[in-house]
Amino acid sequence: MNEMNEVRKPPVATTGIIGWLRINLFFNWTNSLITLFVIYCLYQFIPWILDWTIFSADFKYNYLGEQITNQEMCSRNLDPENGGACWAVIYVRFYQFIYGFYPKVEVWRVNLAYVMLAFALLPLLYAKLPYRKYFLYFTYIFPVIAYFLLNGGLGFTEVSTNKWGGLLVTLVLGCTGIALAFPIGIMLALGRRSKLPVISMMCTLFIEFIRGVPLITLLFFGMVMLPLFLPEGIDMDGLVRVLVAVTLFQSAYMAEVIRGGLQAIPPGQYEAAKSLGMSYWRMNLLIILPQAIRISIPPIVNTSIGLFKDTTLVIIVGILDLLGIGRGTLADTNWLGLSYEIYFFVSLVFFIFTFGMSRYSLYLEKKLKTGINMGAD
Amino acid sequence: MSEESIISLKNVNKWFGDFHVLQDVNLEVKKKERIVVCGPSGSGKSTMIRCINRLEEHQEGSIVVDGIELTGNLKNIDNVRKEVGMVFQQFNLFPHLSVKENITLAPIWVKKMPKSEAEELAMRQLEIVKIPEQANKYPGQLSGGQQQRVAIARSLAMNPNIMLFDEPTSALDPEMIKEVLDVMVDLANGGMTMIVVTHEMGFAKTVADRMVFMDEGKIVEEASPDKFFNNPESDRTKLFLSQILHQ
């Protein structure tokens, strides 16, 4: 017995970096082969992309030291051997990318709105924020402030929405669409499950109709047909029409996502709430929805990310969002041929926002995990 | 008889689709009376007590609880539910709330009790079911027996006149059954009106004032525990008792 103990080798390390590498990258020979292949590809790709985006790129000046004002002055157009990305186009057109054609004198209003948006999001992002309650009050009134700030009124000069563009439009559409669609989606989901046949049928019809139609069609509907439903003499703002279409679209999807969560709640939860004397609304607000929404966080964030990216479709009804400004810049003879830089920049901005959303959903899932151990008993 | 009854079921009929689950059920329960309902599965015993707080709707006959008739009238239903507490086989605690919040939720939102008062009440109820130290845990962290005791405390916090128990120990591991039954015995000794659907015959013998035996949607036999266990009238009851007591 003792002899056997002496020849036994220590177990293979399973912790630490070495252990991690062994388990995840070099577990067997196919695994190792794939790892080596991927490392080779990264070795080829990373230096090239770093060189193109940073080391050989022009930011404001070309390699001759001149300030770049059009595409002919980009290093890579002066000397194809020498030069990477020409970020000067982003630098020159930065204002348009972020604010569209918002008048320069009034642009502080947009900046203020951006800062306020960050403050409005704070209490939603950090549950442990000190004085969170007061921040939440601000979050609730922020949309009203933002409306007057961006659009004008209450002493501010009016800036008509056809001057808005770029990131401003993308954020307005994305945030408003998501924020409005959430409560409407909850109501639609509850309505669809209602025992009252009229309500349930109306909600089902609405959801199925909106889901069955592409967003582009809804955008055209908002642009062309919505004004027909309004009384004569009232002109609806173009951006508002698009917002209505986007919100309707998103609410239908949100409703189905939340309905999925509602279906996962065991009937015993309803019975327990009822047996304690809770009314329909109290039962849903206090017992059912908090659980259903927790279950639905991943798909809720999924559809929200989808909507945020779908806002780029507004270009077809003539509203210039971030991508729209990018395409507009490309059509400018001064900046012809810089599509790599522009699409790279637009993708990066979208990625930052959508990646943020997906990280936020992971954080929420982790935070809410305690206590939701439904199966455990 | 019916004037002193706190619960009165008269010719209650109910169907699930074509299945006639309750057939002309008549039951009178007096104040502070402890009724144990037993019978084979599918005999309609759970359905019957779920009709008493309108979790199920009866289709014919009348149910009067503490002077309030259960009809489609939502206000009546709410009032009855405030009088009647219920404990379920699957506990049905709210998993997203702590034990204390589970208990304080209904007093705060339904009875409009101030939060601090509700929390004191919750702690008192937890003392009664003997688990005050679990107040800040979540239901998922408790054993089945502890969860069921929290469920009892949650019902009691609404200060009901009547408690319904729907097979409260059927989902529990054997060693946890006793801790729940002990709490129920205490409650019975405290003078609560109780209707208990259970197969725990030991519990029935100790606390029941009256046994009700159901089969195929009908009440087959009603008797004192002494008569029910030692000298049952119907053959169906004898068969049932022989089956469960042999286990």
Side-chain angles (χ1 to χ4, degrees), chain A residues 118-300:
Chain A
F119 273 99
L121 288 177
L122 260 183
L124 304 178
L125 299 178
Y126 295 107
K128 283 177 192 148
L129 190 75
Y131 306 108
R132 179 163 183 257
K133 216 165 114 187
Y134 302 101
F135 275 96
L136 270 178
Y137 291 142
F138 175 69
T139 308
Y140 296 139
I141 56 165
F142 169 70
V144 183
I145 302 177
Y147 171 79
F148 286 112
L149 205 52
L150 294 173
N151 187 59
L154 292 181
F156 295 117
T157 12
E158 195 167 324
V159 179
S160 93
T161 54
N162 55 25
K163 295 207 173 74
W164 301 18
L167 186 65
L168 174 62
V169 161
T170 301
L171 284 180
V172 165
L173 287 175
C175 294
T176 322
I178 292 165
L180 286 180
F182 192 58
I184 299 177
I186 289 176
M187 298 309 290
L188 283 172
L190 289 176
R192 190 169 181 171
R193 286 168 59 88
S194 165
K195 277 187 197 145
L196 306 171
V198 180
I199 292 181
S200 148
M201 211 169 70
M202 271 168 35
C203 292
T204 310
L205 265 175
F206 177 86
I207 293 170
E208 293 301 336
F209 175 74
I210 302 280
R211 275 206 313 168
V213 174
L215 178 56
I216 296 189
T217 318
L218 278 180
L219 289 174
F220 279 128
F221 165 85
M223 270 316 202
V224 182
M225 286 179 65
L226 211 54
L228 300 180
F229 293 109
L230 292 173
E232 227 169 302
I234 292 185
D235 188 28
M236 209 177 183
D237 188 278
L239 192 67
V240 175
R241 284 187 236 164
V242 167
L243 257 177
V244 170
V246 164
T247 307
L248 291 182
F249 179 79
Q250 182 68 358
S251 327
Y253 276 89
M254 201 61 96
E256 285 302 276
V257 161
I258 290 169
R259 192 167 68 95
L262 288 174
Q263 270 170 346
I265 307 299
Q269 294 289 309
Y270 291 89
E271 290 172 1
K274 282 183 195 163
S275 77
L276 289 168
M278 287 191 197
S279 65
Y280 175 83
W281 289 110
R282 270 204 196 108
M283 171 177 79
N284 275 300
L285 283 176
L286 299 171
I287 308 295
I288 306 303
L289 284 171
Q291 295 183 57
I293 289 169
R294 267 171 217 213
I295 300 172
S296 330
I297 286 173
I300 285 174

